[in-house]
Coordinates of all heavy atoms in Angstrom, one line a residue:
N729 N 34.6 5.9 10.4 CA 33.7 5.8 9.3 C 32.9 7.1 9.2 O 33.2 8.1 9.9 CB 32.7 4.6 9.6 CG 31.9 4.7 10.9 OD1 31.1 5.6 11.0 ND2 32.4 4.0 11.9
Y731 N 30.2 8.1 10.3 CA 29.4 8.7 11.4 C 30.4 9.4 12.3 O 30.0 9.7 13.5 CB 28.8 7.5 12.1 CG 27.6 6.9 11.3 CD1 27.9 5.6 10.6 CD2 26.6 7.6 11.0 CE1 26.9 5.1 9.8 CE2 25.6 7.1 10.1 CZ 25.7 5.9 9.5 OH 24.9 5.4 8.7
V733 N 32.9 8.6 14.0 CA 33.4 7.9 15.2 C 34.0 6.6 14.7 O 34.0 6.2 13.5 CB 32.2 7.4 16.2 CG1 31.7 8.8 16.9 CG2 31.2 6.7 15.6
F735 N 33.8 2.4 14.8 CA 33.1 1.2 15.2 C 34.1 0.2 15.6 O 35.1 -0.1 14.9 CB 32.2 0.6 14.0 CG 31.0 1.4 13.7 CD1 30.4 1.3 12.5 CD2 30.6 2.5 14.5 CE1 29.3 2.0 12.2 CE2 29.5 3.2 14.2 CZ 28.7 3.0 13.1
Q792 N 26.1 -5.4 14.5 CA 27.4 -5.3 14.9 C 27.7 -6.1 16.2 O 26.9 -6.2 17.1 CB 27.7 -3.8 15.3 CG 29.2 -3.6 15.8 CD 29.4 -2.2 16.4 OE1 28.5 -1.5 16.8 NE2 30.7 -1.8 16.5
E819 N 31.9 3.4 23.6 CA 30.5 4.0 23.3 C 30.4 4.3 21.8 O 31.4 4.0 21.0 CB 30.5 5.3 24.1 CG 30.6 5.0 25.7 CD 30.6 6.3 26.5 OE1 31.2 7.3 25.9 OE2 30.2 6.3 27.6
Y820 N 29.3 4.9 21.5 CA 29.0 5.3 20.1 C 29.0 4.2 19.2 O 29.7 4.2 18.0 CB 30.0 6.5 19.6 CG 30.0 7.6 20.6 CD1 31.3 8.0 21.2 CD2 28.9 8.3 20.8 CE1 31.3 9.0 22.1 CE2 29.0 9.4 21.7 CZ 30.2 9.8 22.4 OH 30.2 10.9 23.2
Q821 N 28.4 3.1 19.4 CA 28.3 1.9 18.5 C 26.9 1.7 18.1 O 26.0 2.2 18.6 CB 28.8 0.7 19.4 CG 30.2 0.9 20.0 CD 31.3 1.1 18.9 OE1 31.6 0.3 18.0 NE2 31.9 2.3 19.0
V822 N 26.8 0.8 17.0 CA 25.5 0.5 16.5 C 24.8 -0.5 17.3 O 23.7 -0.6 17.6 CB 25.7 0.0 15.0 CG1 24.3 -0.5 14.4 CG2 26.2 1.1 14.1
G823 N 25.7 -1.6 17.7 CA 25.2 -2.7 18.4 C 24.1 -3.5 17.6 O 24.3 -3.8 16.4
G825 N 21.2 -2.4 16.4 CA 20.4 -1.5 15.6 C 20.4 -2.0 14.2 O 21.3 -2.6 13.7
C826 N 19.3 -1.6 13.5 CA 19.1 -1.8 12.0 C 19.6 -0.6 11.2 O 18.9 0.5 11.3 CB 17.7 -2.1 11.7 SG 17.5 -2.4 9.9
L827 N 20.8 -0.6 10.7 CA 21.5 0.5 10.0 C 21.1 0.6 8.6 O 21.0 -0.3 7.9 CB 23.1 0.3 10.2 CG 23.9 1.4 9.7 CD1 23.7 2.7 10.7 CD2 25.4 1.0 9.8
E874 N 19.0 15.3 17.6 CA 20.1 15.6 16.8 C 19.6 16.6 15.6 O 18.7 17.3 15.8 CB 20.7 14.3 16.1 CG 21.1 13.4 17.3 CD 21.4 12.0 16.8 OE1 20.9 11.6 15.8 OE2 22.1 11.2 17.5
V887 N 18.4 6.9 9.9 CA 19.7 6.3 9.9 C 19.8 4.9 10.5 O 20.4 4.0 10.1 CB 20.8 7.2 10.4 CG1 22.1 6.6 10.6 CG2 21.0 8.5 9.6
C888 N 19.2 4.8 11.7 CA 19.3 3.5 12.5 C 18.0 3.4 13.3 O 17.6 4.5 13.9 CB 20.5 3.5 13.2 SG 20.8 1.9 14.0
D889 N 17.4 2.2 13.4 CA 16.3 2.0 14.2 C 16.5 0.9 15.2 O 17.2 -0.1 14.9 CB 15.1 1.7 13.3 CG 13.8 1.5 14.2 OD1 13.2 2.5 14.3 OD2 13.6 0.3 14.6
Y890 N 16.1 1.1 16.5 CA 16.3 0.1 17.5 C 15.0 -0.6 17.9 O 14.8 -1.0 19.0 CB 17.0 0.7 18.7 CG 18.4 1.2 18.4 CD1 18.9 2.3 18.0 CD2 19.4 0.2 18.5 CE1 20.2 2.7 17.8 CE2 20.7 0.5 18.4 CZ 21.1 1.8 17.9 OH 22.5 2.0 17.7
P896 N 21.7 1.3 22.6 CA 22.9 1.6 23.5 C 22.6 2.8 24.4 O 21.9 3.8 23.8 CB 24.0 1.8 22.6 CG 23.7 1.0 21.4 CD 22.2 1.2 21.2
I898 N 24.5 5.2 25.1 CA 25.1 6.3 24.2 C 25.3 5.7 22.9 O 26.3 5.1 22.5 CB 26.4 6.8 24.9 CG1 26.2 7.3 26.2 CG2 27.1 7.9 23.9 CD1 27.5 7.9 26.9
P899 N 24.3 5.9 22.0 CA 24.4 5.4 20.6 C 25.4 6.2 19.7 O 25.9 7.3 20.2 CB 23.0 5.4 20.1 CG 22.5 6.6 20.8 CD 23.1 6.6 22.2
F900 N 25.6 5.8 18.5 CA 26.5 6.6 17.6 C 25.9 7.9 17.2 O 24.5 7.9 17.1 CB 27.0 5.7 16.4 CG 25.9 5.3 15.5 CD1 25.7 6.1 14.3 CD2 25.0 4.4 15.7 CE1 24.7 5.8 13.4 CE2 24.0 4.0 14.9 CZ 23.9 4.7 13.7
P901 N 26.6 8.9 16.8 CA 26.0 10.1 16.4 C 25.1 9.9 15.1 O 25.4 9.0 14.4 CB 27.2 11.0 16.1 CG 28.4 10.4 16.9 CD 28.1 8.9 16.9
Y902 N 24.1 10.8 15.0 CA 23.3 10.9 13.8 C 22.3 9.7 13.7 O 21.6 9.7 12.7 CB 24.2 10.9 12.5 CG 25.5 11.8 12.6 CD1 26.6 11.3 12.1 CD2 25.4 13.1 13.2 CE1 27.8 12.1 12.2 CE2 26.5 13.8 13.2 CZ 27.7 13.3 12.7 OH 28.8 14.1 12.7
Y903 N 22.2 8.8 14.7 CA 21.4 7.6 14.5 C 19.9 7.9 14.1 O 19.3 7.1 13.5 CB 21.5 6.7 15.7 CG 20.7 7.0 16.8 CD1 19.4 6.5 17.0 CD2 21.1 8.0 17.8 CE1 18.6 6.9 18.1 CE2 20.2 8.3 18.8 CZ 19.1 7.8 18.9 OH 18.2 8.1 20.0
A904 N 19.4 9.0 14.8 CA 18.0 9.2 14.6 C 17.6 10.2 13.5 O 16.5 10.6 13.3 CB 17.4 9.8 15.9
W907 N 19.0 11.1 6.3 CA 19.9 11.7 5.2 C 19.4 11.3 3.8 O 19.2 10.2 3.5 CB 21.3 11.2 5.4 CG 21.9 11.5 6.7 CD1 21.6 12.4 7.6 CD2 23.3 10.9 7.1 NE1 22.4 12.3 8.7 CE2 23.5 11.4 8.4 CE3 24.1 10.0 6.6 CZ2 24.6 11.0 9.1 CZ3 25.2 9.6 7.3 CH2 25.5 10.2 8.5

Side-chain angles (χ1 to χ4, degrees):
N729 59 73
Y731 296 106
V733 295
F735 289 167
Q792 178 192 15
E819 298 171 331
Y820 306 119
Q821 303 301 295
V822 175
C826 184
L827 188 64
E874 302 166 336
V887 170
C888 189
D889 183 87
Y890 287 95
I898 300 180
F900 68 99
Y902 319 133
Y903 80 95
W907 299 349

